[in-house]
Amino acid sequence: MHSDREVIEKRLDRVLNQRVKPAVHARSVPLTVGIWNVPGEPVPVAEGLAADYRPARVGDHWGPAWSTSWFRISGTVPAEWAGLTVEAVLDLGFGTTEPGFSTEGLVYRPDGTAVKALNPRNTWLPVTRNAEGGEEFTAYIEAAANPVVMHTGPGELSFGPTPVGARASWLHDENAPTGEPRYRLRRMDLAVFDTEVYELVQDLEVLGQLMRELPLESSRRWQLLKTIGRSLDAIDLQDIGGSASAARAVLAPALTAPATASAHRISAVGHAHIDTAWLWPLRETVRKVARTVSNVTQLMDDHPEFKFVMSQAQQLAWLKEQRPEVWARAQEKVKSGQFLPTGSLWVEPDTNITGGEALARQFVHGKRFYLDEFGVETEEMWLPDTFGYNAALPQLMKLAGVRWFLTQKISWNTTNKFPHHTFWWEGIDGTRIFSHFPPVDTYNADLSGGELAHSVRNFQDKGAANRSMVPFGYGDGGGGPTREMLSRAARLKDLEGSPRIEIERPADFFEKAHAEYPDAPVWSGELYLEFHRGTLTSQLAGKQGNRRSEHLLREAELWAATAAVAEGAPYPYEELDRLWKTVLLHQFHDILPGSSIAWVHREAEETYAELAEELGTLIGRAQAALAGPAEGGGEVAFNAAPHARAGVPALGGSTRRTSAAPLAPVAEGDGFVLDNGLVRVVVDGRGLVTSAYDRDADREALAPGAAANLLQLHQDFPNEWDAWDIDAFYRNTVRDLTDADEVTATDEGVRVVRSFGDSRITQTLSLREGTRRLDIDTVVDWHEKEKLLKAAFPLDVRAAHSTAEIPFGHVDRPTHTNTSWDAAKFEICAHRFLHVGERGWGAALVNDSTYGHDVTRDVRPDGGTTTTVRLSLVRAPRFPDPDSDQGTHRLRYGFVIGAEVADAVREGYRMNLPERVVPGSAEVAPLVAVDSEAVVVEAVKLADDRSGDVVVRLYEAHGGRVRASLTPGFTLESAVVTDLLERQTADQDGCEVTQSGDLRLRLRPFQILTLRLTPHRG
């Protein structure tokens, strides 16, 4: 038989796209349109409805970047449409076919209630199902002229520098120029919705897509091909509506053939990933959420089987606060079981950079919102789009009552394919969480034949399991599922040649998947994303703001709780709740990583400055209450770090501190020496560290002939995703910054000034008595473009692995590149410290704001091994923020010579929690004290329920088992172990109250323990 396959396939494409789809709304009449351009920021709905509209028409231009325009549309249903379904078809002039990345609109009724949103893939609006001739119609559209930042066409991305992401300051000045309009109205019509033609479109799309995915040798493929050909023959191209039923009748048998018993089973979960900020500012995300929720709740009215997950509590909180009418619709659908609060987190945060206690609070505030507002105890951690996952997360999930974990992003790996789709994820403490990566490899699926076929082909656990999930709905910029997707799901529920599709809750999927595959394989340790490594460094100011805010919040809670218990001072519950939520918001995975437009990052920097001021006030108020009167000019030093120092107890304050001033440098040759009897550091005439000698170990830390604190400048121009990526080839081009403008001795240490390009770096290298830490205070006046600045420390150490701090512990990573998995980790994350060593001796780098690091190892001609540790200090990508990182930054890092991991833990905390000295004369006893340095107290606060109980969160920090005693600074009534939400757990092991009122603790490696201590109130 002669093959006509390609002829029929091409015929299907043309007839479907050029004739059948346009016939869904073939009969139409134009609407009358009015426009009102908002002079500044978006306005409340009532103001938009009451505005003074001027006439507009299709073809008119509107919308300078980031502005808002309101459209009033009105019309009359023609008499001949009586009894028909009528819709409005509204094309605002979308600048791309990708929903959420261009102009969007939200449609309102005249009474101000939201109907649904408009985007390039969703241009229809319901008007009436059973029209009456002469029926009047009026609606309003709040249209956002969000510029197209990244897309150049369908599936095409541009990463070129663009100014459109800058904050539109002119929006706040009515007299300022408004810029050029970016959009042009294309269609504003009332139209008949031809249901039969619409259903024909869905039939042809589903069968056509399925046909193309089946093997060429498959009988089913050829049966579908011939059936489609006969259906196309039945279509009268001059009367699509009149012939649609006949064409559908031809297709009906093909659509009723059932799937095979062994067909893969897919749980389809309605979803709309909404980036809380990215190529749009936070204020626009509030409107994106309202649009998406309006869309999905409208769909739920027509499709009772439709279920939709919403995964970020912050976004629902915005609805409640700012869009109560949309919030009410969401609550209605929660009660019907269709709208599913999911995810357990305040936002979907970055989990590489976010600190441990902040991650705990993501769960606390997220889960508590769902409990308070919906009575729902969420059990999933839903993180489809975060750039890697730290190995403490399984334990944090379990402590928050989370049973399941979902992500998709690891499918973006550029080197190694992750070996599982369903598996147990094991954290650093041994906790395991049942996890799933949807093999569809997207969190924005549209249930196309290609996506579903890819899910089946790609599924890594065939034979042992036969079930996967597909999150479907347009996302990133929101939008959500469409009626077309639901039509596909209905046809694919049981169709020969296709996996079986069922729309259901994530919990349903996980329960079934776990029952089917209880012995799924185990992945131990971090889920490292082999991509987007530059996010560890981009937008340094934002990362510094976050790091500082996390530690300020620790101090504010600690000192406020201490003052409340010891002095009866009021505890600032409302302020701390609000400030925590602000910090958590800015940990979203496109804000903290530095991958958003300029508007987002400049606004974040302003917010962090405000946070620092307010938290400083809270800290000062509590410390003043504790320090007492300043008798004779006395001073009290407060130590918020978890280890004692300089005579000041951990978590307490003292007037008897013994802090030493920096040593004066001693001239030697053309450089200087810093020597405190523990270590001897030589800085040469170039301002480089040429010797770091450990006197106790009688050992030189640096490799022979090498220099440390060597600043190195790399060309940094990745192939794509500029702010996100560092590509391995950056290492091929390097410039060592060895020329110094100035190397001088000061009271603080050795001052080194270097100029290069348009930039200037000023560093002060200092050493104090009693410490092995060389401090390097760095001010960078940075004006480079597409460059990466690193600081290198080549050490005379044969280190098999590096040890990097992560939340609530640390991880070891090989320094070799034996496998492709090892080689792919050429840029790694560390929080406050990175340690390398060999048996009996090591060294560490600690920092106050750096996350990106790299570690390499080379064998020298003398047989020794050089392990080079480098910190990534600052970048200069140009997309999406062309001025990324430009300006002056101050950061600190320290070189700890002769350090074990325990030393690195201690010095990392000390660098990030410097002493505070205030006037006073009182000794401030710690609210809690622990007798083991291996047990680190991470948080001390009053319980959120305002009972006055003291909550202490601590963890084992050295990676071993430990027994310790915790001594409260108050008379203890009782103590219990709780989950992260401060609720008593069934398992009370690990904590025992002694007769003396102390707590005897037993912790396994990296175990996190939350204790609720009730003071005696007699």
Side-chain angles (χ1 to χ4, degrees):
M1 183 176 69
H2 300 297
S3 173
D4 55 358
R5 176 177 63 84
E6 292 185 0
V7 171
I8 294 176
E9 290 176 354
K10 289 180 179 178
R11 182 186 179 196
L12 169 62
D13 290 341
R14 187 173 189 199
V15 171
L16 183 59
N17 293 319
Q18 296 184 20
R19 292 293 185 270
V20 184
K21 286 184 179 180
V24 173
H25 292 109
R27 286 185 284 173
S28 64
V29 295
L31 289 161
T32 300
V33 183
I35 187 173
W36 175 61
N37 297 314
V38 179
E41 286 288 274
V43 299
V45 174
E47 187 174 340
L49 299 178
D52 184 15
Y53 287 79
R54 62 175 175 80
R57 61 183 180 182
V58 170
D60 284 357
H61 289 86
W62 68 279
W66 304 117
S67 66
T68 299
S69 293
W70 281 76
F71 294 96
R72 182 179 59 208
I73 54 175
S74 57
T76 303
V77 176
E80 59 269 26
W81 292 3
L84 300 178
T85 297
V86 177
E87 297 180 344
V89 182
L90 308 167
D91 187 338
L92 300 173
F94 304 108
T96 174
T97 60
E98 306 300 318
F101 293 95
S102 170
T103 176
E104 300 172 79
L106 181 54
V107 182
Y108 300 89
R109 299 182 182 92
D111 65 2
T113 58
V115 183
K116 68 180 292 291
L118 303 173
N119 64 52
R121 303 285 183 92
N122 204 333
T123 62
W124 64 279
L125 177 71
V127 174
T128 178
R129 292 181 183 275
N130 189 11
E132 298 178 6
E135 184 176 346
E136 298 292 330
F137 165 73
T138 301
Y140 295 80
I141 307 169
E142 180 190 19
N146 301 333
V148 177
V149 177
M150 184 171 68
H151 294 78
T152 58
E156 298 176 4
L157 303 178
S158 169
F159 302 103
T162 172
V164 300
R167 183 170 187 160
S169 58
W170 54 264
L171 288 174
H172 307 287
D173 182 354
E174 295 185 24
N175 298 316
T178 58
E180 293 298 321
R182 307 186 74 85
Y183 298 108
R184 182 178 181 181
L185 294 180
R186 288 202 186 98
R187 187 175 182 183
M188 292 276 165
D189 287 346
L190 272 182
V192 172
F193 176 69
D194 192 321
T195 304
E196 194 69 3
V197 174
Y198 169 83
E199 298 296 347
L200 175 60
V201 170
Q202 310 316 310
D203 291 346
L204 287 171
E205 283 202 326
V206 165
L207 292 178
Q209 290 173 2
L210 173 61
M211 172 190 68
R212 285 178 162 92
E213 296 301 328
L214 293 171
L216 273 176
E217 64 273 15
S218 163
S219 297
R220 173 69 165 163
R221 175 166 182 158
W222 289 92
Q223 290 165 0
L224 291 178
L225 181 79
K226 296 301 183 180
T227 299
I228 289 170
R230 293 194 300 273
S231 176
L232 295 175
D233 290 340
I235 296 174
D236 182 345
L237 298 181
Q238 279 68 51
D239 185 12
I240 303 292
S243 57
S245 294
R248 293 195 70 207
V250 175
L251 298 173
L255 286 162
T256 55
T260 61
S262 62
H264 187 72
R265 294 181 177 270
I266 288 178
S267 298
V269 178
H271 176 236
H273 179 61
I274 304 176
D275 283 312
T276 299
W278 181 29
L279 305 180
W280 45 86
L282 286 169
R283 64 94 152 144
E284 192 55 34
T285 308
V286 178
R287 299 202 291 180
K288 285 178 175 289
V289 172
R291 294 179 200 123
T292 299
V293 173
S294 297
N295 267 355
V296 298
T297 53
Q298 188 276 331
L299 269 182
M300 289 170 184
D301 290 339
D302 297 334
H303 298 271
E305 80 284 2
F306 173 42
K307 295 178 176 62
F308 174 83
V309 302
M310 193 86 177
S311 58
Q312 301 186 68
Q314 169 69 86
Q315 296 181 357
L316 289 168
W318 278 333
L319 274 190
K320 182 183 178 183
E321 295 161 6
Q322 301 186 40
R323 300 306 307 272
E325 75 285 358
V326 182
W327 167 252
R329 286 281 281 159
Q331 287 184 306
E332 170 193 334
K333 297 304 181 182
V334 169
K335 292 175 183 176
S336 72
Q338 294 176 276
F339 193 100
L340 307 173
T342 301
S344 306
L345 300 163
W346 188 247
V347 297
E348 292 180 9
D350 176 273
T351 71
N352 283 321
I353 304 167
T354 301
E357 186 59 26
L359 283 172
R361 303 304 174 93
Q362 289 282 354
F363 285 107
V364 168
H365 287 285
K367 291 203 62 152
R368 191 169 286 149
F369 181 87
Y370 294 138
L371 282 165
D372 291 346
E373 299 298 336
F374 305 113
V376 172
E377 178 87 37
T378 52
E379 294 187 314
E380 317 85 7
M381 182 167 174
W382 185 278
L383 268 181
D385 185 31
T386 298
F387 311 144
Y389 308 86
N390 76 72
L393 282 171
Q395 184 179 190
L396 286 170
M397 284 188 257
K398 183 177 181 181
L399 292 173
V402 170
R403 301 172 62 196
W404 324 113
F405 172 63
L406 176 136
T407 187
Q408 177 273 326
K409 203 67 174 185
I410 299 298
S411 69
W412 286 45
N413 275 4
T414 55
T415 305
N416 299 284
K417 183 178 178 62
F418 194 78
H420 318 296
H421 282 106
T422 301
F423 62 101
W424 290 95
W425 182 19
E426 181 180 289
I428 52 174
D429 74 309
T431 299
R432 292 180 177 178
I433 293 290
F434 194 76
S435 305
H436 183 67
F437 290 169
V440 69
D441 286 348
T442 180
Y443 49 81
N444 293 327
D446 62 6
L447 300 182
S448 68
E451 289 175 345
L452 300 180
H454 178 74
S455 289
V456 176
R457 288 192 298 264
N458 189 42
F459 187 54
Q460 297 284 90
D461 302 284
K462 294 183 183 75
N466 195 34
R467 186 180 298 275
S468 66
M469 183 192 291
V470 171
F472 73 95
Y474 295 122
D476 288 328
T482 64
R483 63 183 177 186
E484 290 79 11
M485 296 177 197
L486 297 179
S487 295
R488 288 177 202 141
R491 286 163 174 78
L492 294 167
K493 188 170 185 178
D494 187 12
L495 183 62
E496 182 185 357
S498 169
R500 296 177 188 266
I501 307 298
E502 184 172 1
I503 295 177
E504 57 185 353
R505 303 178 307 150
D508 295 332
F509 162 76
F510 276 110
E511 292 285 4
K512 294 173 183 177
H514 179 250
E516 175 187 62
Y517 203 20
D519 57 347
V522 176
W523 181 270
S524 181
E526 69 180 328
L527 294 171
Y528 177 93
L529 178 63
E530 297 172 354
F531 204 41
H532 289 0
R533 302 167 183 89
T535 58
L536 299 175
T537 305
S538 296
Q539 298 287 356
L540 172 61
K543 290 175 171 59
Q544 290 183 315
N546 175 76
R547 174 82 72 91
R548 188 67 182 132
S549 296
E550 289 179 343
H551 289 84
L552 287 171
L553 280 162
R554 170 196 175 93
E555 290 192 79
E557 288 184 334
L558 168 65
W559 302 128
T562 305
V565 174
E567 303 295 334
Y571 189 80
Y573 291 101
E574 290 86 359
E575 296 95 323
L576 288 170
D577 181 80
R578 172 176 49 80
L579 294 168
W580 261 116
K581 287 175 179 174
T582 301
V583 171
L584 300 180
L585 165 61
H586 287 82
Q587 289 169 343
F588 179 74
H589 64 253
D590 275 309
I591 303 178
L592 183 53
S595 48
S596 290
I597 57 173
W599 187 334
V600 173
H601 294 300
R602 299 302 90 74
E603 194 169 60
E605 291 167 28
E606 294 170 4
T607 299
Y608 284 129
E610 294 166 0
L611 284 167
E613 183 175 356
E614 188 168 356
L615 285 165
T617 298
L618 293 180
I619 293 166
R621 184 186 307 158
Q623 289 181 337
L626 290 164
E631 298 175 355
E635 292 181 330
V636 179
F638 285 86
N639 176 22
H643 310 93
R645 61 179 167 194
V648 185
L651 315 179
S654 177
T655 60
R656 299 187 295 271
R657 68 181 178 123
T658 58
S659 299
L663 295 172
V666 176
E668 181 176 283
D670 63 350
F672 300 94
V673 173
L674 297 168
D675 191 339
N676 65 2
L678 296 175
V679 296
R680 182 179 189 273
V681 176
V682 177
V683 181
D684 72 4
R686 301 170 298 169
L688 301 176
V689 177
T690 54
S691 175
Y693 185 73
D694 182 344
R695 289 187 175 278
D696 289 344
D698 188 20
R699 173 168 181 158
E700 174 60 53
L702 304 186
N709 194 37
L710 172 64
L711 298 176
Q712 296 183 299
L713 194 65
H714 293 272
Q715 185 168 283
D716 181 21
F717 188 61
N719 288 339
E720 54 185 7
W721 299 104
D722 297 43
W724 293 258
D725 283 355
I726 291 177
D727 287 342
F729 54 74
Y730 87 89
R731 294 177 293 190
N732 300 343
T733 306
V734 61
R735 175 187 171 191
D736 293 344
L737 303 180
T738 57
D739 295 334
D741 303 345
E742 175 187 335
V743 181
T744 56
T746 72
D747 291 341
E748 297 297 316
V750 180
R751 183 172 187 266
V752 182
V753 180
R754 304 184 193 279
S755 299
F756 57 94
D758 295 321
S759 302
R760 179 183 174 92
I761 297 178
T762 302
Q763 294 190 309
T764 301
L765 286 68
S766 61
L767 183 68
R768 296 173 185 267
E769 292 287 355
T771 180
R772 295 178 171 274
R773 191 180 85 200
L774 174 71
D775 286 338
I776 303 165
D777 193 322
T778 303
V779 176
V780 184
D781 186 16
W782 182 249
H783 299 283
E784 304 306 299
K785 297 288 188 181
E786 295 167 350
K787 295 290 191 295
L788 169 63
L789 181 67
K790 283 185 170 266
F793 290 78
L795 307 177
D796 189 12
V797 175
R798 183 168 176 79
H801 61 263
S802 63
T803 299
E805 187 187 36
I806 66 169
F808 295 108
H810 55 258
V811 294
D812 295 336
R813 301 183 181 99
T815 56
H816 58 68
T817 55
N818 282 0
T819 71
S820 58
W821 295 88
D822 302 322
K825 295 181 180 180
F826 60 81
E827 185 81 0
I828 58 175
C829 182
H831 280 227
R832 286 167 290 224
F833 74 81
L834 184 70
H835 177 273
V836 294
E838 54 196 31
R839 193 179 301 276
W841 194 89
L845 290 176
V846 297
N847 72 84
D848 74 349
S849 54
T850 299
Y851 295 90
H853 297 74
D854 71 275
V855 182
T856 55
R857 197 177 71 181
D858 295 291
V859 176
R860 306 186 299 268
D862 66 2
T865 299
T866 300
T867 300
T868 301
V869 181
R870 298 198 303 166
L871 303 91
S872 299
L873 302 182
V874 64
R875 297 186 67 207
R878 301 188 66 201
F879 180 85
D881 175 5
D883 295 318
S884 172
D885 285 306
Q886 301 300 295
T888 301
H889 309 275
R890 182 181 180 184
L891 56 110
R892 294 193 309 146
Y893 52 93
F895 178 29
V896 190
I897 304 158
E900 299 298 329
V901 170
D903 301 309
V905 172
R906 182 184 62 250
E907 295 301 327
Y909 272 101
R910 285 180 175 174
M911 174 163 279
N912 284 271
L913 290 163
E915 289 179 332
R916 291 178 181 269
V917 179
V918 301
S921 57
E923 295 295 313
V924 181
L927 202 54
V928 295
V930 182
D931 66 356
S932 170
E933 283 209 346
V935 178
V936 169
V937 175
E938 187 68 4
V940 178
K941 60 188 288 293
L942 294 193
D944 291 341
D945 63 6
R946 306 194 180 197
S947 62
D949 289 354
V950 176
V951 172
V952 180
R953 190 152 23 250
L954 48 82
Y955 70 101
E956 195 291 314
H958 295 173
R961 291 184 179 273
V962 65
R963 292 177 180 268
S965 292
L966 182 148
T967 302
F970 50 88
T971 303
L972 185 66
E973 179 73 29
S974 63
V976 296
V977 177
T978 74
D979 64 7
L980 295 184
L981 276 73
E982 303 171 8
R983 303 173 298 191
Q984 184 173 345
T985 62
D987 183 3
Q988 291 293 302
D989 289 345
C991 175
E992 175 187 348
V993 180
T994 68
Q995 288 185 346
S996 65
D998 291 351
L999 279 70
R1000 187 172 297 145
L1001 308 177
R1002 298 186 308 279
L1003 283 81
R1004 65 180 181 271
F1006 303 123
Q1007 182 181 356
I1008 304 166
L1009 199 63
T1010 304
L1011 304 172
R1012 184 173 182 136
L1013 314 180
T1014 301
H1016 180 69
R1017 299 185 177 93

